Amino acid sequence: MTIKRVLVGSRLRRIPAQFSWLDQRLVRDRHIERCDTHACTLYLFLVTVADAQGLSYYAECSIVRRLSMDLMRLREARADLMRLGLIAYEVPLYQVLALDAPAAETPTPTFETSPQLWRDRFVELRAQIKARR
């Protein structure tokens, strides 16, 4: 077992008046694993600038400039964070939401994971062949 010790005492973090924080459940409950790099970047920015209620109101152009992210990526990242239940957004207001245990996402069925898709496709193709006769 690793024993934790302060490595650089002169640089020990102190909680400033404008403190913001990241909830450890972001990692522990695997929320972060469901985000791509751009969504994580936006989430970190929003958590950092949010007030005690999780609210902030940065304009898209300001976020794009500060994060060196193009507008489409920002919008995709925001949509991902909203879909994952990590933020709420109504122009111009962002709210970082409380972290609850992630809802089990139902993976989108693929031909590799769902034999039913193969059966459905086969029936569809057979009907098309019969229709051509």
Side-chain angles (χ1 to χ4, degrees), residues 3-12:
I3 298 172
K4 293 194 285 185
R5 61 185 172 76
V6 174
L7 301 177
V8 182
S10 64
R11 297 284 312 273
L12 195 60

Side-chain angles (χ1 to χ4, degrees), residues 28-52:
R28 191 178 64 230
D29 291 347
R30 301 180 159 219
H31 293 282
I32 199 166
E33 293 175 22
R34 299 163 42 213
C35 299
D36 70 8
T37 304
H38 298 100
C40 286
T41 302
L42 178 58
Y43 187 78
L44 176 61
F45 177 81
L46 294 173
V47 168
T48 302
V49 300
D51 66 11

Side-chain angles (χ1 to χ4, degrees), residues 4 26 28 38 47 55 62 64 85 90 99 119 121 128:
K4 293 194 285 185
L26 185 64
R28 191 178 64 230
H38 298 100
V47 168
L55 301 172
S62 180
V64 163
E90 288 182 23
L99 292 179
R119 285 190 287 274
R121 183 68 177 140
Q128 287 176 2

Side-chain angles (χ1 to χ4, degrees), residues 42-122:
L42 178 58
Y43 187 78
L44 176 61
F45 177 81
L46 294 173
V47 168
T48 302
V49 300
D51 66 11
Q53 295 176 314
L55 301 172
S56 62
Y57 51 89
Y58 277 78
E60 286 183 330
C61 60
S62 180
I63 296 172
V64 163
R65 187 179 66 253
R66 290 172 187 265
L67 300 181
S68 300
M69 183 184 294
D70 67 49
L71 186 57
M72 286 308 299
R73 290 216 189 250
L74 169 63
R75 290 177 176 169
E76 289 169 3
R78 182 173 56 220
D80 287 346
L81 293 174
M82 292 171 66
R83 179 181 51 79
L84 294 169
L86 296 175
I87 67 166
Y89 176 69
E90 288 182 23
V91 178
L93 196 59
Y94 287 90
Q95 180 182 353
V96 176
L97 302 175
L99 292 179
D100 296 320
E105 285 189 52
T106 306
T108 303
T110 65
F111 285 106
E112 291 81 24
T113 62
S114 176
Q116 185 62 43
L117 286 177
W118 284 107
R119 285 190 287 274
D120 294 346
R121 183 68 177 140
F122 177 74

